[in-house]
């Protein structure tokens, strides 16, 4: 064996997996079972008491899901990961470990529309209060910090405009406040940006998007960077205080630099229940094997299409961080040198009506509410994903009435450009 550390593409294919010990199966089998037989009564008791690791019941863990967890942890440079049923489930499970009723977390205003909804409405009913900050103005994060702040949440590449967030600057604010920085890395994937390298303490993904990559399976994942000290000041009792569910053990003391991933599994997933189907884990693992190839093609196509749109007379502006004149180009060069992602927005001179008309005339692009598919996708956020926001909030979150969002797939770019050309012509 050489002592070379495997590169990203090698990890994407191999991390966490080995031939099945009983059958020799080379692809990771789908362990489609709810439960696992104990060796004996002592073994069962030690599994339930967290004294040993092993399979009990698929709501808590499953061998197919475990390969996915190990693979994404390796790609992100974390200590451990936990797969769950969706990206939104990942967000609930993470915050449940950090916030008590009445606590606050700071979130970047530029977020996936579903996250804005989840934070504003669903989390409020848990007593978790979101305080919004502007990712383009770091001082707004500093000003938002209060004694009740328990976390900061941002997206690396932000929906819907594809803007790039200055992760290092915000991680400095988090460090000073003594709270973990959570980064939703869905739009970048670890191929483009590894937030842990820039100071993130927790990374979450909707696996539904680029990691799975084929628009066929929902999933989410939480990656623990192993960087945060949960014992400080009794702020995180789920991690630092004795757990009555587990004979009084303290998770941080027992599990050290992967205590957060354990808490998410044994307190979050076990009790809230959003388990990932092993079938979905298999589909997503298969997708991850080609992540580097797909991501590069997604980015190269996106850049070509952004350039085409920027030169089109019907287009008022293009917001793609990969374009040299873009407001976020400097940050893109620093954080995402391989490409600025494949989700971006542009605005039409003809406003709201032109957006609606374009969406209905496109043929190769599918009109739907998703991103990160092999297929190219289009949506008009103001009338769909961001329709719940008032006009000012729409504009602030990058989803004004004249804005169209694209998620560029891996088709031939010439075909995508021809489709846009015909749909933009009067
Ligand atoms: C889709 C998405 C989510 C939510 O993920 P689901 O798998 O749909 O629950 C969260 N964040 C971002 C950036 C997303 O694109």
């Amino acid at each position: 064996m050489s002592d070379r550390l495997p590169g990203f593409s090698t990890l994407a294919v191999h991390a966490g997996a080995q031939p099945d010990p009983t059958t020799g199966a080379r692809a990771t089998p789908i362990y489609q079972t709810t439960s696992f037989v104990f060796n004996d009564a002592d073994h069962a008791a030690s599994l339930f008491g967290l004294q040993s690791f092993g399979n009990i019941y698929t709501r808590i863990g499953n061998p197919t899901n475990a390969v996915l967890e190990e693979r994404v942890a390796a790609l992100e440079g974390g200590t451990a990961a936990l797969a769950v049923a969706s990206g939104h489930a990942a967000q609930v499970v993470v915050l449940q470990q950090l916030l008590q009723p009445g606590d606050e977390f700071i979130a970047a205003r530029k977020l996936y529309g579903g996250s804005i909804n989840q934070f504003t409405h669903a989390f409020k009913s848990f007593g978790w209060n979101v305080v919004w900050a502007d990712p383009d103005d770091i001082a707004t994060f500093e000003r938002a910090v209060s004694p009740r702040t328990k976390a900061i949440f941002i997206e690396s590449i932000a929906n819907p405009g594809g803007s790039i967030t200055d992760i290092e600057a915000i991680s400095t604010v988090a460090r000073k406040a003594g709270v973990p920085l959570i980064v939703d890395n869905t739009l970048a994937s670890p191929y483009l940006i590894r937030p842990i390298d820039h100071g993130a303490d927790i990374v979450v993904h909707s696996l539904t998007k680029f990691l799975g990559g084929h628009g066929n399976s929902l999933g989410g994942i939480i990656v623990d960077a192993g960087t945060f000290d949960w014992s400080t000041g009794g702020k995180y009792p789920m991690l630092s205080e004795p757990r009555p569910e587990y004979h009084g053990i303290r998770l941080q003391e027992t599990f050290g630099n992967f205590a957060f991933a354990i808490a998410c599994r044994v307190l979050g997933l076990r009790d809230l229940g959003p388990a990932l189907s092993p079938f979905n884990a298999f589909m997503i693992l298969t997708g991850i094997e080609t992540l580097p190839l797909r991501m590069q093609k997604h980015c190269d196509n996106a850049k070509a299409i952004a350039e085409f749109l920027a030169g089109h007379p019907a287009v008022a502006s293009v917001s793609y961080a990969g374009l040299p004149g873009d407001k976020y180009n400097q940050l893109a060069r620093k954080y995402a040198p391989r490409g600025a992602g494949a989700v971006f927005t542009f605005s039409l001179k003809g406003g709201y009506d032109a957006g609606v008309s374009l969406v209905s005339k496109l043929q190769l692009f599918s009109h739907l509410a998703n991103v990160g598919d092999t297929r190219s996708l289009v949506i008009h956020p103001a009338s769909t994903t961001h329709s719940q926001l008032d006009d000012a909030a729409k504009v602030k979150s990058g989803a004004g009435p004249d804005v169209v969002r694209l998620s560029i797939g891996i088709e031939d770019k010439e075909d995508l450009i021809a489709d846009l050309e015909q749909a933009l012509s009067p």
Side-chain angles (χ1 to χ4, degrees):
M1 281 283 274
S2 89
D3 53 9
R4 220 187 109 75
L5 286 176
F8 189 90
S9 297
T10 305
L11 291 173
V13 174
H14 291 284
Q18 44 204 317
D20 184 57
T22 42
T23 62
R26 182 62 269 213
T28 298
I30 304 171
Y31 288 95
Q32 191 70 23
T33 180
T34 55
S35 25
F36 302 84
V37 176
F38 306 121
N39 301 340
D40 53 39
D42 287 346
H43 177 225
S46 78
L47 288 173
F48 272 89
L50 298 182
Q51 279 111 23
S52 59
F53 289 109
N55 297 305
I56 300 176
Y57 186 63
T58 286
R59 172 153 45 72
I60 306 165
N62 174 282
T64 310
N65 300 19
V67 176
L68 174 63
E69 288 158 353
E70 216 177 300
R71 188 161 305 171
V72 178
L75 293 175
E76 288 286 6
T79 53
L82 175 72
V84 293
S86 68
H88 268 11
Q91 295 169 188
V92 178
V93 168
V94 161
L95 289 174
Q96 194 224 3
Q97 309 321 308
L98 304 177
L99 274 73
Q100 307 291 316
D103 282 345
E104 295 172 1
F105 69 107
I106 303 169
R109 196 183 289 288
K110 283 190 181 158
L111 287 188
Y112 175 68
S115 300
I116 296 179
N117 255 344
Q118 186 191 45
F119 294 180
T120 308
H121 303 294
F123 286 0
K124 195 166 187 180
S125 72
F126 302 164
W128 306 342
N129 299 313
V130 61
V131 180
W132 299 107
D134 178 356
D136 298 332
D137 180 0
I138 304 300
T140 61
F141 282 83
E142 280 166 0
R143 284 201 296 273
V145 173
S146 89
R148 299 226 70 155
T149 306
K150 292 296 172 71
I152 298 181
F153 187 101
I154 59 173
E155 290 180 0
S156 52
I157 298 183
N159 229 315
S163 55
I164 311 282
T165 306
D166 192 346
I167 304 171
E168 287 173 13
I170 298 172
S171 94
T172 303
V173 177
R175 208 125 293 169
K176 233 169 91 190
V179 302
L181 175 64
I182 307 163
V183 179
D184 180 340
N185 199 31
T186 299
L187 291 197
S189 90
Y191 176 75
L192 297 179
I193 300 178
R194 298 207 324 163
I196 293 172
D197 295 345
H198 302 289
D201 300 294
I202 297 161
V203 174
V204 293
H205 277 279
S206 169
L207 297 169
T208 316
K209 316 295 169 52
F210 291 101
L211 284 170
H214 294 72
N216 58 26
S217 307
L218 264 90
I221 204 158
I222 299 156
V223 182
D224 184 353
T227 43
F228 197 84
D229 180 1
W230 304 105
S231 63
T232 45
K235 246 166 135 173
Y236 301 100
M238 297 283 272
L239 288 121
S240 64
E241 297 307 305
R243 294 312 312 172
E245 304 93 323
Y246 294 105
H247 311 300
I249 67 168
R250 297 171 198 263
L251 295 179
Q252 159 133 42
E253 201 176 274
T254 309
F255 297 105
N257 71 355
F258 58 101
F260 187 75
I262 294 280
C264 288
R265 184 186 303 281
V266 306
L267 302 176
L269 184 57
R270 188 195 71 159
D271 294 351
L272 300 175
L276 179 69
S277 152
F279 181 81
N280 283 24
F282 171 85
M283 296 299 282
I284 293 162
L285 266 175
T286 304
I288 289 175
E289 291 176 10
T290 57
L291 177 71
L293 301 171
R294 286 186 291 104
M295 238 24 234
Q296 196 59 59
K297 176 91 173 178
H298 278 296
C299 289
D300 295 348
N301 278 357
K303 180 142 194 272
I305 286 158
E307 282 164 356
F308 160 77
L309 289 170
H312 197 284
V315 173
S317 65
V318 178
S319 161
Y320 182 60
L323 292 178
D326 191 83
K327 182 175 165 192
Y328 299 98
N329 190 247
Q330 208 55 25
L331 288 169
R333 283 170 196 275
K334 170 172 176 177
Y335 287 103
R338 286 165 153 166
V343 177
F344 65 94
T345 54
F346 64 101
S347 67
L348 289 159
K349 289 181 184 158
Y352 188 95
D353 294 342
V356 172
S357 151
L358 174 81
V359 161
S360 62
K361 279 159 86 180
L362 283 167
Q363 290 165 356
L364 191 52
F365 282 79
S366 304
H367 179 206
L368 54 73
N370 191 23
V371 296
D373 194 326
T374 50
R375 288 154 278 262
S376 289
L377 316 173
V378 63
I379 201 162
H380 178 229
S383 60
T384 55
T385 54
H386 289 63
S387 61
Q388 76 281 356
L389 304 179
D390 62 37
D391 283 350
K394 275 181 189 146
V395 171
K396 267 192 186 158
S397 66
D402 53 341
V403 170
V404 174
R405 185 186 75 188
L406 300 178
S407 173
I408 302 300
I410 58 173
E411 302 96 333
D412 289 308
K413 61 176 185 284
E414 295 78 7
D415 294 329
L416 297 171
I417 289 173
D419 193 28
L420 285 163
E421 181 87 75
Q422 67 78 22
L424 285 169
S425 68

